[in-house]
Amino acid sequence: MSVSAFSTAHRSSVVGTLRAAGCVFAEDEAELILSTARTPAEAAAMVERRAAGLPLEHVLGWAEFRGLRIAVDPGVFVPRRRTEFLVGQAAELAELAGRAAVVVDLCCGSGALGAALAAGLDRVELYAADIDPAAVRCARRNVADAGGHVYEGDLYDPLPDTLRGRVGILLANVPYVPTEEVGLLPAEARVHEARVALDGGADGLDVLRRVTEEAPAWLAPGGHLLFETSEGQVSAAVDAVERAGLAARVVSDEEMYATVVIGTWWGPGSSGISGEGHGGGGIGG
């Protein structure tokens, strides 16, 4: 149903209920719920779930990400708006290559990153993987338009061996919250999203280190690994990238509160100290 199908009194009631539940953007959320619901009964149920604390995206069944409606099922990690910056960086690198991009989206969750990147490229070969079965089911729907393939398993384990040495863009939306800080997260994340998508181990970088260690085996020469991290973790994250033999650089966007580390693989024998002297770069194929 459209929002106009509901009476003004009904809309006001929904806004009041959401505001009373502590929703800061009650008016905006009411518009989204009423435009998504197919019947008044469904709208009432959605409002009840939202008022009970369910993330808005799980209530709606979708999240907006780089202009796309990404399906998000209950329990699946909700793509953050700040992560759009990471996808933008990946898109620039893929466009510089000027040829079909071989993209892998690790820890893919809903598949939002891979789907959004593919949507902006003319030619792409997309693969994704996640250890959470619910996320895999969700991602398969979201990458279908791009002809993407989604695998269930731990990091690189389920990927086909034919991808080794071919990957041009490796997106790794790894969990990076230190274990002891997971309990400090907002309830919407802490209660309603899979812990495996949040908990990055003692210092938050356990999964990242595993990703960087194996990245050279999968990246094509000139290929790039991109991941998000916190400002306080940048030094340790860069160290992990360079120890794996990749050249690291850090890019950030203060407005989006986003910090992204880009590691570039120049092949065996590269120092992994700095990518400043390199230009161009392949994107697989």
Side-chain angles (χ1 to χ4, degrees):
M1 296 180 68
S2 65
V3 176
S4 60
F6 294 92
S7 68
T8 301
H10 191 167
R11 292 198 298 274
S12 297
S13 175
V14 169
V15 171
T17 299
L18 295 176
R19 186 177 289 126
C23 298
V24 177
F25 303 104
E27 291 85 356
D28 294 336
E29 293 193 9
E31 293 293 308
L32 288 169
I33 288 173
L34 294 178
S35 64
T36 300
R38 291 164 293 186
T39 66
E42 185 175 22
M46 293 171 72
V47 171
E48 183 178 351
R49 292 197 297 273
R50 179 58 180 143
L54 198 69
L56 177 64
E57 294 82 2
H58 289 163
V59 170
L60 298 174
W62 58 269
E64 183 179 350
F65 189 79
R66 278 182 69 90
L68 300 179
R69 276 198 176 189
I70 300 294
V72 182
D73 294 335
V76 174
F77 183 81
V78 175
R80 285 17 176 194
R81 280 297 181 90
R82 66 173 176 270
T83 309
E84 293 181 349
F85 177 67
L86 185 155
V87 176
Q89 294 297 309
E92 290 179 10
L93 292 170
E95 288 168 0
L96 282 173
R99 54 175 171 166
V102 179
V103 176
V104 168
D105 184 0
L106 281 188
C107 304
C108 69
S110 65
L113 277 65
L117 178 58
L121 300 176
D122 291 331
R123 295 170 295 166
V124 64
E125 194 177 323
L126 176 61
Y127 303 86
D130 200 287
I131 199 169
D132 179 13
V136 169
R137 290 193 295 271
C138 196
R140 283 176 176 153
R141 302 204 307 275
N142 287 319
V143 306
D145 286 348
H149 305 275
V150 186
Y151 303 90
E152 181 182 333
D154 186 27
L155 299 181
Y156 302 97
D157 287 353
L159 295 177
D161 284 341
T162 52
L163 281 176
R164 289 180 179 273
R166 294 187 57 235
V167 179
I169 297 290
L170 176 55
L171 306 170
N173 198 20
V174 298
Y176 59 89
V177 180
T179 300
E180 64 179 15
E181 295 180 19
V182 172
L184 304 177
L185 293 173
E188 288 189 356
R190 174 171 42 83
V191 176
H192 298 287
E193 293 179 332
R195 188 180 180 102
V196 70
L198 304 170
D199 191 341
D203 66 351
L205 300 177
D206 283 359
V207 181
L208 172 63
R209 291 189 184 94
R210 294 177 57 211
V211 169
T212 57
E213 285 172 6
E214 292 191 51
W218 296 88
L219 289 170
H224 309 281
L225 163 68
L226 299 95
F227 60 88
E228 196 173 69
T229 191
S230 70
E231 289 185 9
Q233 294 169 318
V234 167
S235 178
V238 166
D239 181 65
V241 169
E242 293 179 343
R243 283 178 179 273
L246 282 69
R249 65 185 177 95
V250 180
V251 290
S252 60
D253 186 303
E254 292 185 3
E255 185 176 329
M256 299 183 75
Y257 301 101
T259 300
V260 171
V261 177
I262 302 174
T264 303
W265 172 244
W266 296 111
S270 60
S271 66
I273 299 302
S274 172
E276 296 299 325
H278 298 283
I283 299 297

